[in-house]
Amino acid sequence: MMRKAKISDVKEIQKIINSCAKNNEMLPRSLNQLYEQLQNFYVVEVKGKKVVGCCELFVTWEDLAEIKALAVAPSYRGKGYGVALVKKCILTAKQLGIRRVFALTFKPVFFKKLGFKVVPKDILPHKIWVECINCPLFPDCNEVPVIKKLT
Ligand SMILES: CC(C)(COP(=O)(O)OP(=O)(O)OC[C@H]1O[C@@H](n2cnc3c(N)ncnc32)[C@H](O)[C@@H]1OP(=O)(O)O)[C@@H](O)C(=O)NCCC(=O)NCCS
């Protein structure tokens, strides 16, 4: 089941994200970041009320939102949860009247299947790079910007 995240999900969300981060699949998140951004998060919950995946839609600007913090616990991958989470964020962005969504990802192939296109970094607004300067990988990071126009 897909639903908005609740406060009681935060520690599980952090566990999933930070274990992916340990495998260099994404960047880690602090509890502080997750509490502050909780209202942007969707989670997938399976039988037994276990949270096994998450994704965040973060509004960046008038015509742009970012899909962030996409993670599915390893033993639940390949079941369509990742795609469902991205589609839910896309739907929410459309409902908000946003025209484009983007992601910075190590998995451009996954996003290409969902209609995203790889774009040069410099077409995204400066604002989004502010987070990067505090990252341990800066400036040698392999994240690829991908973008999708919403119709
Ligand atoms: C990327 C991720 C969220 C995909 O979740 P998932 O639930 O396994 O994805 P789905 O089951 O919905 O997969 C759908 C499709 O994407 C493909 N796919 C899944 N993981 C992929 C990957 N790492 N690279 C390329 N394609 C991938 C699947 O093969 C499937 O394609 P198909 O339907 O043509 O067979 C998951 O692998 C993950 O959590 N990875 C670690 C964190 C990460 O990389 N996050 C994204 C960075 S922004």
Side-chain angles (χ1 to χ4, degrees):
M1 178 180 88
M2 170 98 51
R3 60 168 173 79
K4 291 281 279 183
K6 293 192 277 201
I7 202 80
S8 54
D9 299 323
V10 167
K11 287 186 180 147
E12 199 53 43
I13 292 173
Q14 191 192 33
K15 233 193 257 174
I16 296 170
I17 292 178
N18 289 0
S19 72
C20 292
K22 275 201 187 123
N23 297 330
N24 299 317
E25 292 176 308
M26 62 196 296
L27 300 174
R29 295 292 193 284
S30 66
L31 283 176
N32 183 52
Q33 285 172 312
L34 294 174
Y35 286 125
E36 285 185 357
Q37 291 171 21
L38 180 67
Q39 292 172 86
N40 298 331
F41 269 85
Y42 290 100
V43 292
V44 170
E45 182 186 284
V46 293
K47 240 169 130 194
K49 303 241 177 271
K50 189 178 155 60
V51 168
V52 299
C54 61
C55 192
E56 174 184 8
L57 179 76
F58 185 88
V59 178
T60 316
W61 209 249
E62 185 187 14
D63 61 346
L64 193 63
E66 181 174 3
I67 290 179
K68 303 175 79 164
L70 170 65
V72 174
S75 45
Y76 291 87
R77 289 186 192 166
K79 297 175 187 291
Y81 296 144
V83 165
L85 282 160
V86 173
K87 284 188 172 164
K88 182 71 185 177
C89 289
I90 290 173
L91 181 65
T92 303
K94 280 184 183 167
Q95 287 166 343
L96 289 169
I98 289 165
R99 292 204 307 266
R100 297 179 303 162
V101 289
F102 77 96
L104 300 170
T105 183
F106 297 125
K107 307 272 169 66
V109 177
F110 172 82
F111 282 94
K112 276 185 187 169
K113 284 184 181 169
L114 286 160
F116 285 74
K117 289 204 165 75
V118 175
V119 289
K121 285 189 171 177
D122 56 10
I123 77 150
L124 294 169
H126 271 169
K127 187 185 168 209
I128 71 151
W129 307 111
V130 172
E131 228 173 276
C132 298
I133 29 185
N134 294 319
C135 172
L137 300 179
F138 183 78
D140 301 313
C141 128
N142 298 325
E143 280 194 330
V144 178
V146 292
I147 201 159
K148 181 179 168 79
K149 277 191 186 150
L150 308 182
T151 46

